[in-house]
Amino acid sequence: MKKVLAALLFVSTTTFASDYVNLSVDQKDKVNSQEVHQVNRINLGRKFDNGLVVEGRMEDEKVDKGDGTQKQEGLGQVKVSYDIATGTLVTPYVAAAVGHKNKATIDFNFWLAEVGAKVKLGDASLRYGFRRRTAFDNNTTNAYDTNEQTVALGYNLTKNDNISIAYKQERNNDGVSSEYNTKGIYFTHSF
């Protein structure tokens, strides 16, 4: 699975990199804990005229445990989403992805499904998304079984450049995964 995912990620990021690049930083605060995660991310993708979007993602995550110890985590993901044209200001979307998570003590493959809606008002935009994510091998050591809700506000700085801020709440379904409140800033350049 790792080799297949790496090949898909390579193809999606090299073949489709001419359409847009997105750089972002998230601060994930673990609920009821001093633990803080800084997630640095790059997304490379392509938007097609029919509403289809293909995107590759790489993440580097620094985990500060709050007790003076730190660890690194990583993630690679390939995602396909589809915008459903309605002829109105509101554009619903659906998405699915597969990926690989590298934690300090375990590596595993995961999948996710997402639904949401985007509203465009001139140069400003608003997005709400609901994501379900879990590991393919869903056991107590790598469950990764969470739901996440996101609200994002964006603004077009130029015809090709957008900046967004987002707030996310990630909650677990398994009694094992951690829960987070996340704030993030995102910059997208379209080619």
Side-chain angles (χ1 to χ4, degrees):
M1 177 68 174
K2 287 182 188 179
K3 290 180 183 177
V4 170
L5 179 60
L8 286 172
L9 186 59
F10 175 77
V11 169
S12 69
T13 57
T14 57
T15 304
F16 303 124
S18 64
D19 201 21
Y20 71 88
V21 60
N22 171 272
L23 303 170
S24 64
V25 177
D26 280 345
Q27 179 178 312
K28 293 173 54 176
D29 297 318
K30 188 173 181 179
V31 176
N32 299 320
S33 173
Q34 296 297 315
E35 187 174 300
V36 176
H37 298 226
Q38 181 179 328
V39 183
N40 301 308
R41 177 182 308 114
I42 184 168
N43 296 324
L44 302 169
R46 172 165 232 182
K47 294 180 182 181
F48 295 90
D49 291 339
N50 63 1
L52 189 68
V53 180
V54 178
E55 178 179 89
R57 169 180 289 184
M58 297 295 290
E59 288 183 359
D60 177 62
E61 187 167 345
K62 182 178 90 174
V63 180
D64 183 345
K65 302 292 282 178
D67 61 3
T69 62
Q70 294 182 348
K71 61 182 181 174
Q72 286 302 122
E73 298 182 1
L75 179 141
Q77 170 182 295
V78 176
K79 182 177 183 180
V80 176
S81 61
Y82 180 70
D83 289 345
I84 303 165
T86 63
T88 69
L89 294 175
V90 179
T91 304
Y93 71 91
V94 295
V98 295
H100 183 78
K101 179 71 175 176
N102 175 303
K103 295 186 121 185
T105 58
I106 190 168
D107 295 348
F108 55 90
N109 300 314
F110 66 90
W111 62 268
L112 69 81
E114 184 177 341
V115 295
K118 306 169 194 174
V119 177
K120 183 103 171 112
L121 299 168
D123 285 333
S125 61
L126 179 66
R127 179 179 67 86
Y128 169 79
F130 176 83
R131 183 199 74 194
R132 169 99 167 117
R133 181 180 65 191
T134 193
F136 282 108
D137 177 19
N138 194 6
N139 61 50
T140 57
T141 60
N142 68 3
Y144 211 49
D145 189 12
T146 60
N147 292 331
E148 182 177 84
Q149 296 186 66
T150 300
V151 175
L153 179 62
Y155 185 77
N156 291 333
L157 300 170
T158 69
K159 180 179 140 185
N160 294 359
D161 299 308
N162 177 279
I163 191 160
S164 300
I165 56 172
Y167 177 74
K168 306 174 188 179
Q169 285 190 336
E170 181 179 328
R171 300 297 182 256
N172 71 43
N173 296 310
D174 55 21
V176 178
S177 300
S178 300
E179 299 186 334
Y180 298 93
N181 295 326
T182 302
K183 300 173 288 286
I185 187 163
Y186 310 86
F187 175 78
T188 304
H189 178 75
S190 299
F191 298 91

